[in-house]
Amino acid sequence: MLIAGETSGDLLGAELVPEIGDILADIGALPTPDYQPLHASLAPRFFGAGGPLMAAAGVDLAFDLTAHSVIGLSDVIKNYFKFRRLFQRLYRLALEREPDAIICIDFSGFNRRFAQAIRRFTRARRDWFHDWNPKIIQYVSPQVWASREGRVYSMARDYDLVLSIFPFEPAWYARRVPQLPVRFVGHPILDRYRHPPCPGGDRENSEPAAEPLVLLLPGSRGSELERHLPVLVQSLALMRASIPALRARMVLPNEALVKQAKTFGLPANLEVQAGGLPEALCEAQVAVASTGTVTLECAYFGVPTVALYITSWTTFQIGKRLVNVKHLAMPNLLADTEVFPEFIQDAATPQNIAQAALDLLFDSKRRGQIKSKLAEIIKSLGEPGASRRAAREIVNLIEPRQTKAAEPTGGAAQAR
């Protein structure tokens, strides 16, 4: 059973499923002295909730959970009863089908409560006639190192394994809950794009183009578009006042978000498209992006980026009292310094964002320094093969008779 509630998690699940299938198929039959096989290499079956990519990968979805993605406390409260209904549907489905493993992909608030509910059920019913006790895996550690550290103790109680995609996380967990296995498998972004990622090799971009391209990446959720688009459109107008020839393109994950974006009265000379982010990043000189997963993709392609995030007043007030890290954009967190200029909440004004983007466009020396730092950040993420390593860790957990050595990781995977 797989549960992914966001676009990025849907992609992770779609990459993971075929790898699990391949590894299980390679195990082969295990005969006994009376020649009856204990394991017959039957193809695994996958079900749960996710998005269109997981469905295309062969996951039998009860519903598209990514269509309901929200962020922030106020949005969660407004959608509480809807999420409770979805939660109960998945809970009943798990009890009916009794999967061998439940793979929780990111979406930490929902998935942590789901793991807790399954564990509570199985612990209350363990006896001779009720032996279902699935392995529960969290793929992508929640950012417990950034806020609400106490969540690690419920994770240690309810999860069998955490698969980490950032190199500092295993040691962080080891200092607090050494009994919880945490494996750094590397980052899947290294498998999604070739290296160098753009045709013609690495781009220096030492001088701005005559008609530079700025990429607008407002986020992958409807609520993010509502809060970010007005600011981005005003920022673009200010940038064009300084560079009339400036081109602008907005890339969104799907057509539904493109349709929503067009209701905001976008300027006619702003290109809007669904998908095609790698090609757009290869062409762009600067990006303005939400502080989500996409900032790491900007880093991978070496694009200097202005990061922003705006949430509801309630969520921000609560968050600033809970969050204990200096930055929100992942490249800045990994570097422990502000590589990407970052503007959060009230600081995310059109004037601030436009000025920061223009500074990046005109300061070739600074762009070069940023690109060098981004290369170091991406190097810290290990080697390609993250999905394969994640699948092997899962198979080793649910099929302990699988004794093949883990594939070489080039320093990317650290087991403890």
Side-chain angles (χ1 to χ4, degrees), residues 173-399:
Y173 276 93
R175 291 192 295 269
R176 292 158 178 84
V177 283
Q179 72 274 25
L180 176 62
V182 180
R183 309 285 187 256
F184 170 45
V185 296
H187 202 290
I189 195 173
L190 301 175
D191 296 300
R192 293 173 190 163
Y193 311 112
R194 61 185 178 181
H195 187 78
C198 299
D202 295 327
R203 303 165 305 152
E204 290 302 324
N205 287 340
S206 57
E207 296 296 334
E211 297 183 349
L213 174 66
V214 61
L215 208 57
L216 304 182
L217 306 169
S220 60
R221 302 177 179 90
S223 60
E224 291 174 325
L225 261 64
E226 291 175 6
R227 295 183 176 114
H228 293 163
L229 269 184
V231 175
L232 291 181
V233 169
Q234 293 176 60
S235 301
L236 178 60
L238 293 173
M239 285 185 264
R240 279 185 165 148
S242 295
I243 309 178
L246 182 71
R247 295 181 297 140
R249 185 179 306 162
M250 182 186 300
V251 179
L252 297 165
N254 54 59
E255 290 292 347
L257 288 174
V258 169
K259 184 176 180 181
Q260 179 184 348
K262 289 181 177 178
T263 65
F264 285 82
L266 302 177
N269 53 358
L270 170 61
E271 304 171 38
V272 184
Q273 67 185 54
L277 180 60
E279 294 78 10
L281 285 169
C282 281
E283 192 178 348
Q285 279 71 50
V286 168
V288 182
S290 168
T291 58
T293 306
V294 74
T295 57
L296 204 57
E297 294 181 282
C298 294
Y300 182 82
F301 282 82
V303 179
T305 299
V306 180
L308 80 152
Y309 205 81
I310 304 170
T311 187
S312 69
W313 183 88
T314 302
T315 298
F316 178 71
Q317 292 302 318
I318 294 172
K320 72 179 183 179
R321 291 164 172 79
L322 296 176
V323 174
N324 53 28
V325 291
K326 294 182 291 184
H327 312 288
L328 293 187
M330 185 52 69
N332 292 347
L333 282 166
L334 290 170
D336 195 29
T337 189
E338 191 175 86
V339 181
F340 287 166
E342 190 174 293
F343 300 99
I344 308 301
Q345 205 66 7
D346 293 341
T349 64
Q351 293 78 13
N352 285 346
I353 292 167
Q355 188 59 58
L358 290 170
D359 289 346
L360 291 176
L361 279 170
F362 287 119
D363 191 338
S364 58
K365 180 179 179 181
R366 186 179 175 202
R367 278 207 320 280
Q369 292 170 342
I370 289 174
K371 288 170 67 67
S372 296
K373 193 66 178 178
L374 296 180
E376 295 175 14
I377 292 168
I378 296 303
K379 188 176 180 180
S380 76
L381 298 178
E383 300 291 336
S387 295
R388 185 73 174 186
R389 288 189 290 272
R392 189 171 294 282
E393 292 285 356
I394 292 168
V395 172
N396 286 341
L397 183 67
I398 63 176
E399 283 279 356

Side-chain angles (χ1 to χ4, degrees), residues 1 62-63 84-94:
M1 183 177 194
F63 49 83
R84 189 171 72 170
R85 288 193 299 272
L86 297 175
F87 185 99
Q88 289 299 325
R89 281 182 64 184
L90 286 177
Y91 180 70
R92 290 193 297 269
L93 187 61

